[in-house]
């Protein structure tokens, strides 16, 4: 094949190029990885069984299940949350009525940072970019009429994730649910907060202790719950390359497994419930290769590094969200096309659940119409395109296999670098992943400004069209007033002795080595608020301030 390729290059290609040169000297992926003119069998690893294998078998390159979408489609899980719990409950019921098969909750920034809606620090943010949840009372309203044993729910929250999970499980208990039957996912990936998103509650070391407490508790009492969704999404949104997203996310996963094993947990007792969350960006083949490389890399690490024995412990199951940072305010209808391509890459890459962004999300939270189109995008792919009829249909493509191999190799090199720095927690303290992302983001911005990368409607094919003004508007002052009234009524009505006892017990367990989650659950049942519980944890563990490494 090498001789034939050479002959082709020296013959047919060379004479053609002499008459018609290519449009660019170098072709690259969105992440600036060089792309060859043509891929042949020579660029692909030769060990089919070891590198690619079969679906549902180690190393799971072709998918984590033997039948994939022929057996069960991915869960269509639109991320939603705004205003009061009543507002978001209405949106949840609307999405379920439109054929959505799971729920995903977006909390507003005060909740993400561990503050109540009536805090001076919450001013102007209440209900704006997510739903306001201050206590179990709000959680009860948020999921009113939704049977928590039958609908799986994802919750995007990290620093105070343990508090919101306690609220959710307390609500499930009030619904008379058997916690062993309650399924869902809480993001709870604190490490990526220090790397990329910057919404944290306490410093990295105690944050890791709380994560392990949650994993330990859920493995024993809520076995169908995924206590963490290790997230590359926000790393990519912060400006990383695809390889950095893959590498830093898997390295975060390594850090969590390390921490659980140091606690004394058996790897096969908790690893099957570890889940992942990736971004779907614009470079179609790069994204497909990223998902395939993620499965293989995680499987190999779990087997070879951690000695996992159960196949379930080695499976990289993941949710995907289309790339919010790829949406443009200019010509927002183009975002429907972008989202379709991104969603298709996630499906062909073998995701287990998917959120498709709405076309207006770069301008505001989505309208009902926009979110319906986004959901319909998934449904058209699922039921009309035919791509679900066979498993991993891009396998065997010289280009896809070569790109999968390359991404796995480059991600592993990053993980070895992080190991040499003492692991991900120490690497974060040194600012290593943060700096790598800053440099990648700066490089891409320069490429945009020089038109080396084209974004339709932004730096090329520009029009004078004005953006649609039919946007969803949240009245934050009205939401603040309603939430403050509810908080005041709650505090007047609840049993203050139970509140004080619950918070005191939490402080005692946090100050010792006792798992804090049972005390968090007691605080939730006593209707302690997010801020009251967060203040206990901040008091024991201290607060974190970004070192500002740039």
């Amino acid at each position: 094949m090498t001789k034939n390729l050479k002959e082709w290059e020296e013959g047919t290609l060379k004479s053609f190029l002499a008459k018609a040169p290519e449009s660019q000297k170098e072709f690259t992926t969105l992440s600036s990885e060089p792309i060859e003119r043509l891929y042949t069998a020579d660029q692909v690893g030769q060990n089919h069984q070891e590198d690619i294998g079969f679906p549902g078998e180690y190393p799971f390159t072709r998918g984590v299940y033997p039948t994939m979408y022929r057996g069960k489609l991915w869960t269509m899980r639109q991320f939603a949350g705004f205003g009061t719990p009543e507002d978001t409950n209405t949106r949840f019921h609307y999405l379920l009525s439109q054929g959505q098969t799971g729920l995903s909750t977006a909390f507003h920034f005060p909740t993400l940072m561990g503050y109540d809606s009536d805090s001076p620090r919450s001013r102007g943010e209440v209900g704006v970019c997510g739903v306001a949840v201050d206590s179990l009372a709000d959680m009860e309203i948020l999921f009113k009429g939704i049977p928590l044993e039958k609908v799986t729910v994802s919750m995007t929250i990290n620093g105070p994730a343990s508090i919101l999970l306690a609220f959710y499980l307390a609500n499930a208990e009030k619904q008379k649910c058997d916690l062993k039957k309650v399924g869902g996912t809480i993001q709870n990936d604190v490490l990526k907060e220090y790397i990329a998103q910057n919404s944290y509650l306490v410093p990295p070391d105690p944050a890791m202790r709380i994560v392990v407490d949650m994993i330990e508790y859920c493995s024993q009492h809520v076995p169908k719950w995924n206590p963490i969704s290790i997230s590359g999404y926000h790393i990519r949104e912060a400006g990383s390359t695809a390889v950095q997203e893959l590498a830093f996310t898997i390295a975060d996963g390594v850090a969590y497994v390390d921490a659980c094993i140091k606690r004394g947990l058996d790897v096969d007792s908790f690893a099957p419930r570890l889940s992942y969350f990736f971004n779907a960006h614009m470079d179609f083949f790069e994204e497909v290769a990223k998902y395939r490389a993620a499965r293989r890399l995680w499987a190999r690490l779990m087997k070879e590094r951690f000695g996992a024995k159960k196949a379930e412990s080695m499976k990289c199951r993941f949710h995907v969200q289309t790339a919010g940072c790829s949406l443009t305010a200019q010509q927002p209808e183009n975002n429907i096309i972008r989202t379709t391509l991104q969603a298709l890459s996630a499906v062909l890459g073998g995701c287990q659940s998917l959120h498709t962004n709405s076309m207006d999300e770069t301008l505001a939270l989505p309208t009902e119409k926009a979110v319906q189109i986004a959901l319909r995008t998934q449904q058209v792919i699922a039921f009309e395109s035919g791509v679900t009829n066979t498993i991993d249909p891009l396998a065997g493509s010289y280009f896809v296999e070569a790109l999968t191999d390359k991404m796995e190799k480059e991600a592993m090199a990053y993980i070895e670098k992080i190991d040499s720095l003492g692991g991900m927690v120490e690497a974060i303290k040194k600012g290593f992943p943060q700096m790598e992302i800053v440099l990648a983001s700066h490089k891409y911005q320069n490429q945009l400004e020089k038109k080396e990368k084209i974004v339709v409607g932004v730096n090329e094919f520009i029009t004078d069209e004005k953006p649609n003004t039919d946007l969803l508007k949240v009245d934050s002052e009205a939401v603040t007033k309603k939430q403050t009234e509810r908080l005041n009524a709650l505090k007047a009505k609840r049993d203050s002795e139970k509140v004080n006892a619950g918070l005191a017990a939490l402080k005692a367990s946090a100050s010792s080595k006792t798992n804090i989650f049972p005390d968090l659950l007691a605080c939730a049942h006593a209707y302690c608020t997010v801020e009251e519980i967060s203040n206990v944890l901040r008091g024991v563990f201290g607060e974190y301030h970004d070192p500002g490494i740039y």
Side-chain angles (χ1 to χ4, degrees):
M1 180 59 78
T2 302
K3 182 180 178 183
N4 290 340
L5 175 63
K6 197 105 178 146
E7 288 175 351
W8 175 77
E9 287 177 333
E10 292 297 323
T12 305
L13 176 66
K14 190 173 182 179
S15 61
F16 189 83
L17 286 175
K19 294 181 289 185
E22 293 176 335
S23 61
Q24 301 173 48
K25 287 184 178 178
E26 183 184 33
F27 289 77
T28 63
T29 67
L30 184 69
S31 301
S32 296
E33 293 290 334
I35 299 294
E36 301 293 330
R37 176 180 292 110
L38 184 71
Y39 285 80
T40 69
D42 288 339
Q43 286 105 321
V44 179
Q46 298 300 307
N47 195 331
H48 175 277
Q49 187 60 41
E50 185 176 317
D51 293 336
I52 302 174
F54 290 91
E57 293 183 1
Y58 182 86
F60 307 103
T61 310
R62 304 201 65 182
V64 292
Y65 301 118
T67 57
M68 289 303 290
Y69 306 137
R70 290 168 65 99
K72 180 178 180 292
L73 288 172
W74 64 91
T75 301
M76 299 180 191
R77 194 187 298 281
Q78 295 297 97
F79 188 44
F82 63 94
T84 65
E86 288 89 345
D87 295 329
T88 298
N89 178 263
T90 301
R91 177 61 66 89
F92 281 170
H93 281 282
Y94 171 76
L95 289 167
L96 291 171
S97 75
Q98 295 298 305
Q100 181 167 302
T101 50
L103 295 173
S104 179
T105 313
F107 297 98
H108 72 166
F109 243 100
T111 302
L112 295 180
M113 298 301 290
Y115 293 98
D116 291 342
S117 297
D118 61 352
S119 167
R121 300 189 69 162
S122 303
R123 196 166 297 153
E125 289 287 347
V126 178
V128 173
C129 66
V131 59
V133 172
D134 298 316
S135 73
L136 171 59
D138 290 331
M139 194 65 89
E140 292 166 1
I141 298 168
L142 184 62
F143 292 104
K144 187 176 181 181
I146 298 170
L148 299 183
E149 272 188 6
K150 296 180 179 176
V151 177
T152 60
V153 174
S154 174
M155 294 190 286
T156 297
I157 190 154
N158 297 281
S162 58
I163 302 169
L164 274 295
L165 179 59
F167 288 175
Y168 186 86
L169 296 182
N171 187 33
E173 288 178 331
K174 293 195 75 172
Q175 282 193 10
K176 308 296 183 188
C177 296
D178 179 354
L179 292 189
K180 293 191 183 306
K181 296 180 181 176
V182 173
T185 303
I186 193 156
Q187 197 163 88
N188 195 27
D189 179 5
V190 292
L191 291 178
K192 72 99 171 51
E193 293 295 330
Y194 305 107
I195 295 172
Q197 189 165 248
N198 299 318
S199 60
Y200 27 69
L201 193 66
V202 297
D205 290 312
M208 288 291 286
R209 175 259 171 102
I210 295 172
V211 169
V212 176
D213 282 355
M214 294 171 68
I215 292 173
E216 183 179 44
Y217 183 88
C218 288
S219 68
Q220 295 168 358
H221 302 281
V222 201
K224 290 188 176 181
W225 190 269
N226 299 320
I228 190 167
S229 175
I230 307 158
S231 305
Y233 185 84
H234 308 89
I235 289 171
R236 193 67 180 281
E237 293 285 295
S240 80
T241 65
V243 166
Q244 288 169 348
E245 177 195 354
L246 173 62
F248 298 156
T249 308
I250 297 291
D252 285 348
V254 167
Y256 294 123
V257 174
D258 265 333
C260 288
I261 290 174
K262 283 178 184 169
R263 173 71 63 89
L265 304 183
D266 178 78
V267 66
D268 287 314
S269 73
F270 66 87
R273 300 315 308 182
L274 302 180
S275 63
Y276 276 89
F277 173 23
F278 290 110
N279 193 296
H281 217 299
M282 279 309 298
D283 193 309
F284 184 84
F285 291 108
E286 185 172 56
E287 296 304 296
V288 172
K290 179 182 71 182
Y291 306 129
R292 300 175 84 248
R295 279 192 293 270
R296 192 160 71 202
L297 180 55
W298 183 244
R300 286 174 169 166
L301 284 166
M302 292 303 293
K303 183 175 183 178
E304 297 168 11
R305 178 166 176 159
F306 294 112
K309 294 182 174 56
K310 289 183 180 176
E312 294 301 315
S313 302
M314 306 173 202
K315 292 181 178 179
C316 179
R317 299 170 298 114
F318 57 87
H319 172 72
V320 172
Q321 179 169 339
T322 55
C325 63
S326 72
L327 303 180
T328 65
Q330 301 90 337
Q331 305 173 38
E333 292 84 356
N334 296 344
N335 295 329
I336 298 174
I337 304 155
R338 293 188 177 100
T339 295
T340 303
L341 289 167
Q342 294 164 2
L344 187 60
S345 74
V347 170
L348 292 178
C351 70
Q352 276 60 65
S353 64
L354 176 63
H355 165 99
T356 35
N357 288 329
S358 301
M359 63 176 170
D360 55 358
E361 286 193 60
T362 191
L363 300 164
L365 294 176
T367 62
E368 211 166 74
K369 179 67 175 175
V371 79
Q372 185 190 60
I373 293 171
L375 177 59
R376 294 289 184 257
T377 302
Q378 292 198 45
Q379 291 164 337
V380 169
I381 291 172
F383 298 105
E384 297 185 27
S385 72
V387 299
T388 60
N389 291 338
T390 191
I391 302 167
D392 192 25
L394 296 180
S397 154
Y398 298 137
F399 179 39
V400 170
E401 296 298 354
L403 205 50
T404 301
D405 293 346
K406 188 168 186 285
M407 293 189 80
E408 182 189 14
K409 183 179 177 182
E410 292 183 0
M412 195 60 219
Y414 259 126
I415 291 169
E416 288 169 353
K417 170 68 177 176
I418 290 166
D419 285 343
S420 74
L421 294 173
M424 185 50 105
V425 174
E426 296 305 315
I428 288 169
K429 292 176 184 175
K430 293 178 174 75
F432 173 69
Q434 299 97 310
M435 196 65 195
E436 290 294 295
I437 295 169
V438 166
L439 293 173
S441 177
H442 183 255
K443 180 177 181 179
Y444 180 65
Q445 185 61 35
N446 280 335
Q447 290 171 328
L448 286 181
E449 292 174 6
K450 293 175 182 174
K451 292 192 178 182
E452 293 171 359
K453 301 287 186 190
I454 299 299
V455 178
V456 174
V458 175
N459 62 357
E460 196 62 276
F461 313 111
I462 299 167
T463 70
D464 295 328
E465 179 186 347
K466 299 294 181 189
N468 180 18
T469 55
D470 182 20
L471 301 173
L472 175 69
K473 294 183 174 61
V474 176
D475 184 345
S476 183
E477 285 191 17
V479 179
T480 303
K481 182 173 182 293
K482 188 165 184 176
Q483 287 300 109
T484 300
E485 289 172 353
R486 188 165 16 233
L487 274 166
N488 290 337
L490 175 79
K491 290 177 180 177
K493 182 181 174 184
R494 66 186 181 177
D495 184 334
S496 58
E497 286 188 10
K498 281 188 177 177
V499 170
N500 293 334
L503 295 173
L506 176 62
K507 183 178 179 181
S509 59
S511 302
S512 68
K513 292 185 177 180
T514 305
N515 190 316
I516 66 169
F517 202 79
D519 290 317
L520 281 169
L521 204 51
C523 286
H525 277 294
Y527 290 92
C528 300
T529 70
V530 169
E531 186 166 336
E532 289 169 339
I533 299 171
S534 296
N535 284 343
V536 169
L537 299 177
R538 283 189 278 250
V540 173
F541 297 125
E543 295 189 58
Y544 179 75
H545 299 283
D546 188 282
I549 300 168
Y550 294 105

